[in-house]
Amino acid sequence: MKIKIVTLFITAILAVNFQVSAQESTDTLLKNAQEIAKKEGKSIFIKFEASWCGWCHKMTKDMKSEKTKKFFEDNFIIVPIVVKEAKGKEKLENPGSTDLLKNYKGDEAGLPFWVILDSDLKVITNSYNTNGQNLGGPASAEEVKEFIHKLKKTAKKITQKDIEDITNQFVSQ
């Protein structure tokens, strides 16, 4: 009987530890993204997000829409990183996310915050606009125009149709 209780206790502890660290670390995510980016000649698009963030969900929806999904998949390795979760949901965060966000100077920017890296993990651009404000999930015509300008610097190929599709998808009606 004692062996069963000890076994159950150990199993419970292992299950709790697994739940706490079930998310991949940012080191692992970046290493995997870098390997694929080098192989496929793509940039790495890191998007810091949280489950409570409506703008994060909108940006994900916009990037995965039927009109824009192919463009983003053809040009970027997309790496969503969960950070700044609400109390009680911290287990959703990727280990190392707070430090990585701070490293990219996005810790005070609000969410979503994104950064685009080359395959050597060097920053090409980020979501700060020319005024030093976070574009976040671009929604106004002006924000989307600046977002597209940044995409042009980082994508392998962007066509006029891609620009129109991104504009139509991202600009809030």
Side-chain angles (χ1 to χ4, degrees):
M1 185 65 148
K2 285 184 180 180
I3 292 175
K4 285 184 181 180
I5 292 172
V6 170
T7 302
L8 280 172
F9 181 72
I10 291 172
T11 303
I13 288 174
L14 290 174
V16 168
N17 283 338
F18 178 74
Q19 283 182 328
V20 168
S21 60
Q23 296 285 15
E24 285 187 279
S25 73
T26 55
D27 289 341
T28 300
L29 291 171
L30 286 177
K31 181 181 173 196
N32 293 342
Q34 181 180 28
E35 187 177 305
I36 297 167
K38 283 183 181 283
K39 183 192 261 186
E40 297 181 7
K42 296 179 181 179
S43 297
I44 301 166
F45 192 114
I46 298 174
K47 184 166 76 75
F48 292 93
E49 59 190 17
S51 65
W52 53 262
C53 175
W55 286 108
C56 299
H57 294 297
K58 181 188 179 312
M59 187 171 189
T60 297
K61 179 183 79 82
D62 289 342
M63 291 174 76
K64 290 183 176 184
S65 80
E66 190 176 307
K67 293 183 210 172
T68 62
K69 183 177 181 178
K70 183 170 176 19
F71 167 77
F72 285 102
E73 287 179 349
D74 287 352
N75 289 282
F76 302 98
I77 305 303
I78 309 293
V79 183
I81 295 183
V82 180
V83 67
K84 294 186 176 185
E85 269 303 334
K87 187 172 179 148
K89 293 194 174 191
E90 297 90 349
K91 70 178 185 210
L92 298 175
E93 292 182 10
N94 296 94
S97 60
T98 301
D99 290 338
L100 190 63
L101 182 64
K102 189 173 186 171
N103 181 55
Y104 292 131
K105 298 175 180 33
D107 51 323
E108 296 184 26
L111 295 177
F113 178 79
W114 46 268
V115 62
I116 302 176
L117 312 174
D118 66 17
S119 61
D120 292 322
L121 304 181
K122 291 189 175 40
V123 175
I124 303 170
T125 192
N126 61 33
S127 60
Y128 285 120
N129 66 17
T130 53
N131 297 325
Q133 297 170 323
N134 183 21
L135 288 172
S140 72
E142 186 178 314
E143 290 170 339
V144 173
K145 184 177 178 181
E146 189 151 359
F147 180 56
I148 290 169
H149 175 73
K150 290 174 178 278
L151 292 175
K152 285 179 180 178
K153 294 190 326 189
T154 58
K156 290 191 300 187
K157 180 181 177 187
I158 187 167
T159 66
Q160 186 59 39
K161 180 163 180 4
D162 292 328
I163 292 168
E164 290 168 10
D165 288 343
I166 292 166
T167 301
N168 291 335
Q169 180 64 44
F170 278 76
V171 174
S172 293
Q173 309 304 331

